[in-house]
Amino acid sequence: MSRVIIIGCGGVAKVAIHKCCQNDDIFTDLCIASRTLSKCDEVKKELEGKTKTNITTKKINANNINELMDLFNEFKPEIVMNLGMPYQNLIIMDACLEYGCHYLDTAAYEPEDVNEPTWRKRYEERVKEKNFTAYFDYSYQWEYNDKFAKKGLIALLGCGFDPGVTQAYVAYAKKHEFDRIDTLDILDCNGGDHGYPFATNFNPEINLREVSSDGAYYENGKWIKVPAMSIKKEYNFDGVGMKDMYLLHHEEIESIAKNYPEIKRIKFYMTFGESYLRHMNCFENVGLLSTKAIDYNGQKIVPIQFLKALLPDPSTLGPRTKGKTNIGCIFRGIKDGKEKTYYIYNMCDHQESYHEVGSQAVSYTTGVPAMCGAMLILKKIWTTPGAKTVEEYDPDPFIEALDKYGLPKTESYNPMMVD
Ligand code: NDP
């Protein structure tokens, strides 16, 4: 018996809702709360007669703490899964603390308006100190660690695939495969084709902000910044084939570097096709990625939000996306005095995901881990309170749950290395 609120009803949330409903012995009462009520009602209708989970829906603006508190007091959740936007992470964490329930999200906090002066000042200081320019960083959410710990509550940060499963893979490799890990390459390949000249496979605002930032990696205790898309490699991905991939900064590098200081070098690569990069450069050059509102005929318009309105909604890509994703971690390190390499990854098929839950694999690979993380908290298998990332918990039950609920691991002891 559990009471769970899911905030947001986009691509990722829909998968998590379907998965919670497949697991209806644990997720008995679910409230879907999002900005557009009709989307919540549609998902509820899709699941009618297919689950024992009792689903309710609610319209909510997650920017409004009073609306959040009213909902929490009325529904009485044990955990709130924030599967909306990272802009609302802090306010939802505040509401969870005030009400007294666990919290989970899939992306690190970043502000909607990156020109807000107080945030900007702290950002500029961080850029100087840490040498990465991405708008997201964990410091804001780590500041909640003691507050959650004092109340015996968990705030599970970044429990999607990357961040999320990739960190569990690190904890798993350290627990079972290595005495010491020296290098880590995280590889995120989407070999799917949706047939559009340009579309992002998760929220366009967050996706474009992430990939247009400078890249950064971590080496010998320092951040090395590189211009966006300036480091390109080719890799032959199982189930996909040869793809170009580019070095990006990604949020799990920050938490893995903190929690596994023995790892001397951590890099993250993501695959992109020529067409994606050409479009992205063009949007950037004409100012369409800007978060600063402009006046247009007396109306305030935020360029990146306008662009989002023009692009295909990622949650509608399911029927047309074909191919596979392949996401995982390649390690080099030492076991029993000998050097060793190890690769652990998952392959997920877009069409199989679509036929199971009505969504493409990028939403699937994020929504399934979110459900698994919430399940481990509800079953009191993961119990350490505080604001923590996935690698801080025992990886075994999580990886077991992923195997069971649709994201099985594949392992290789002789992988092609990136460098
Ligand atoms: P979508 O844009 O498809 O969904 C976002 C949902 O949040 C929409 O339903 C939207 O409402 C709702 N929402 C937005 N603002 C508010 C608000 N103020 N109050 C209430 N609801 C709101 O995004 P995705 O599903 O693609 O992504 C969800 C999250 O998952 C993002 O944070 C993304 O960064 C993260 N992610 C993480 C990955 C990982 O591996 N860790 C991978 C992919 C994504 P409406 O329907 O009205 O627009």
Side-chain angles (χ1 to χ4, degrees):
M1 169 90 186
S2 67
R3 302 187 64 76
V4 176
I5 293 176
I6 290 188
I7 294 183
C9 196
V12 172
K14 273 190 210 164
V15 174
I17 295 162
H18 272 264
K19 284 293 181 181
C20 290
C21 290
Q22 284 176 12
N23 203 352
D24 49 15
D25 286 344
I26 292 164
F27 293 88
T28 53
D29 291 87
L30 186 65
C31 174
I32 313 169
S34 191
R35 188 166 55 184
T36 311
L37 186 63
S38 58
K39 292 190 187 174
C40 310
D41 289 336
E42 221 172 275
V43 182
K44 178 182 160 141
K45 201 159 165 235
E46 261 170 47
L47 284 156
E48 253 163 26
K50 294 183 189 151
T51 179
K52 285 187 283 160
T53 304
N54 179 27
I55 303 174
T56 51
T57 60
K58 186 89 184 175
K59 178 174 165 58
I60 196 164
N61 174 8
N63 281 317
N64 184 322
I65 185 99
N66 295 329
E67 285 190 29
L68 289 168
M69 288 313 299
D70 286 350
L71 172 64
F72 294 6
N73 283 319
E74 184 193 324
F75 187 80
K76 305 194 181 348
E78 281 159 79
I79 184 166
V80 172
M81 298 168 70
N82 170 17
L83 307 180
M85 300 292 282
Y87 309 149
Q88 280 90 35
N89 288 6
L90 304 183
I91 195 164
I92 299 174
M93 288 174 85
D94 284 332
C96 288
L97 270 175
E98 173 79 21
Y99 172 73
C101 65
H102 303 298
Y103 167 90
L104 176 151
D105 65 35
T106 59
Y109 168 71
E110 59 185 271
E112 189 156 7
D113 177 7
V114 295
N115 299 303
E116 192 279 311
T118 315
W119 182 87
R120 192 79 202 180
K121 186 168 174 282
R122 184 163 155 180
Y123 169 78
E124 303 292 354
E125 281 162 13
R126 189 253 290 165
V127 171
K128 269 195 217 131
E129 183 207 334
K130 287 199 176 168
N131 214 19
F132 65 77
T133 57
Y135 292 138
F136 50 81
D137 79 307
Y138 273 124
S139 64
Y140 291 88
Q141 291 185 269
W142 281 335
E143 282 169 8
Y144 283 72
N145 183 56
D146 290 351
K147 293 186 226 167
F148 271 83
K150 265 190 206 132
K151 291 201 161 186
L153 297 170
I154 296 176
L156 184 57
L157 311 179
C159 193
F161 206 104
D162 48 334
V165 178
T166 48
Q167 288 130 291
Y169 284 166
V170 175
Y172 186 85
K174 177 66 184 172
K175 185 171 175 184
H176 299 288
E177 301 292 341
F178 289 97
D179 297 325
R180 190 187 78 212
I181 300 173
D182 290 330
T183 68
L184 162 65
D185 289 310
I186 305 168
L187 270 50
D188 177 333
C189 164
N190 180 5
D193 183 6
H194 43 59
Y196 286 117
F198 185 87
T200 62
N201 40 47
F202 70 94
N203 185 280
E205 251 181 274
I206 304 301
N207 177 273
L208 287 164
R209 278 162 68 140
E210 175 177 294
V211 301
S212 58
S213 282
D214 288 331
Y217 61 95
Y218 189 78
E219 192 164 37
N220 296 322
K222 290 201 180 92
W223 290 92
I224 318 289
K225 189 168 80 177
V226 299
M229 305 292 165
S230 60
I231 298 185
K232 175 181 168 184
K233 303 268 178 188
E234 272 198 320
Y235 197 84
N236 195 3
F237 288 93
D238 193 8
V240 175
M242 214 60 174
K243 282 270 169 193
D244 291 340
M245 58 183 193
Y246 297 82
L247 186 137
L248 296 185
H249 172 61
H250 221 243
E251 59 227 72
E252 64 265 51
I253 304 180
E254 198 187 357
S255 73
I256 296 167
K258 175 174 163 241
N259 291 314
Y260 288 85
E262 70 183 37
I263 307 181
K264 296 185 187 73
R265 199 195 69 198
I266 310 171
K267 290 181 173 175
F268 181 99
Y269 294 92
M270 192 178 272
T271 61
F272 296 101
E274 275 302 312
S275 171
Y276 182 99
L277 293 178
R278 230 184 9 257
H279 279 80
M280 193 191 78
N281 286 338
C282 179
F283 296 149
E284 188 162 34
N285 290 341
V286 299
L288 272 170
L289 300 188
S290 168
T291 59
K292 200 171 179 172
I294 56 154
D295 269 318
Y296 180 75
N297 284 347
Q299 222 186 325
K300 286 243 178 285
I301 293 182
V302 177
I304 196 166
Q305 290 176 359
F306 175 69
L307 176 63
K308 179 184 181 236
L310 294 175
L311 292 174
D313 178 346
S315 68
T316 63
L317 298 176
R320 38 190 305 147
T321 309
K322 302 203 167 62
K324 285 186 169 61
T325 60
N326 177 326
I327 317 173
C329 297
I330 303 180
F331 303 89
R332 193 191 294 277
I334 300 291
K335 179 76 176 172
D336 299 330
K338 288 198 194 105
E339 185 159 295
K340 168 177 178 180
T341 58
Y342 172 66
Y343 188 13
I344 176 168
Y345 57 95
N346 164 263
M347 286 178 284
C348 186
D349 187 276
H350 285 286
Q351 282 297 297
E352 280 173 21
S353 306
Y354 177 65
H355 289 122
E356 187 196 323
V357 298
S359 300
Q360 37 86 2
V362 174
S363 304
Y364 191 91
T365 53
T366 313
V368 172
M371 181 282 284
C372 293
M375 179 183 77
L376 295 181
I377 294 173
L378 290 168
K379 287 172 91 175
K380 299 193 173 29
I381 293 173
W382 281 358
T383 53
T384 312
K388 312 238 170 267
T389 44
V390 171
E391 72 272 33
E392 296 180 73
Y393 293 94
D394 182 3
D396 290 356
F398 188 57
I399 295 205
E400 219 174 89
L402 295 168
D403 279 343
K404 180 170 170 191
Y405 291 104
L407 297 175
K409 66 180 179 307
T410 301
E411 293 164 285
S412 162
Y413 290 86
N414 185 23
M416 170 184 168
M417 299 303 282
V418 177
D419 297 304

